[in-house]
Amino acid sequence: MAITVCGTCIDFGSQSICVDPAGIYVSGKFAFKSCDVNPHQGQGDACGFAAGGIGPAPRITTIQKWSFSSDGNATNSGNLGVMARSCLGAASSSTHGYLLGGYGTPAPGAEIVDCRDFIQKFPFSSGGTATDVAELLGKKCSISGHESTTHGYGSGGNPDANEIQKFQFSNDGNATDVGNLTRNFKNHASITSSENGYAAGGYSSSGDNYDKFPFTSDTNATDVGELGPVGA
């Protein structure tokens, strides 16, 4: 089939689509089919970000950024806005990064630090200081983050926990309890597919399994497999 452009019309054989100031005109029959568009996943395809950490006192407060397209050193993109600086969970929407919980900076002379319940948010495009926009169910360190296209999730954490928490990207609301993992998880790996979140391994003597929970419904996780032996 020949496709030609004539003035403000595109001709597809004997059919055509034309545009004029009054609107769009279609001549003939056209079949319109949908196609799959991959949703936003994980950290995107432009830059990577790292936030906070444990280092020489005081704890690290910067948000660092580096490009995926060209190898080079990270640059400072912003700062954490509240006193939660290390062992943070992380999730991301298509436009912002979210930091969950974490250890705060100890008071002068103190050796013990508390976990925090903050959900911090920072923009990918412009950088700047992260803002405290919502709260987790409780104070959590070593919580892991996951994301769907519309919500962020936090799983497990320290003190020992098996909660699955969920918060909405569009309204900066507090997290809600939407299910449970099959055991307590902390310092565990977080993996996200287009439909499910996974919690794997972690610092625990109660099991070496990995759990799976769906984004489409608020329900408990299921044990779907075992990790291999250390060093395998």
Side-chain angles (χ1 to χ4, degrees), residues 59 82-86 101-107 113-116 118 141:
R59 293 173 187 265
V82 294
M83 301 296 283
R85 305 288 172 77
S86 61
Y103 285 111
T105 301
V113 293
D114 290 331
C115 296
R116 309 295 182 173
F118 306 123
C141 303

Side-chain angles (χ1 to χ4, degrees), residues 40-41 92-93 146-153 169 192 194 215:
H40 159 73
Q41 282 296 305
S92 61
S93 71
H146 319 258
E147 62 275 315
S148 70
T149 55
T150 57
H151 291 80
Y153 293 79
F169 291 144
T192 296
S194 60
F215 296 143

Side-chain angles (χ1 to χ4, degrees), residues 132-210:
D132 177 11
V133 295
E135 294 181 352
L136 299 170
L137 295 173
K139 295 180 178 180
K140 284 285 176 281
C141 303
S142 304
I143 185 174
S144 286
H146 319 258
E147 62 275 315
S148 70
T149 55
T150 57
H151 291 80
Y153 293 79
S155 65
N158 184 34
D160 287 347
N162 68 346
E163 296 102 347
I164 302 170
Q165 307 184 41
K166 173 181 175 180
F167 58 94
Q168 192 167 352
F169 291 144
S170 62
N171 64 6
D172 293 339
N174 292 336
T176 57
D177 187 346
V178 295
N180 294 305
L181 302 170
T182 62
R183 62 174 173 86
N184 292 337
F185 281 79
K186 63 182 177 182
N187 290 317
H188 53 290
S190 65
I191 302 96
T192 296
S193 75
S194 60
E195 298 177 345
N196 300 285
Y198 294 82
Y203 181 78
S204 174
S205 60
S206 60
D208 58 1
N209 64 296
Y210 60 93

Side-chain angles (χ1 to χ4, degrees), residues 40-64:
H40 159 73
Q41 282 296 305
Q43 297 181 4
D45 57 7
C47 296
F49 292 83
I54 298 175
R59 293 173 187 265
I60 298 169
T61 64
T62 54
I63 300 171
Q64 302 182 56

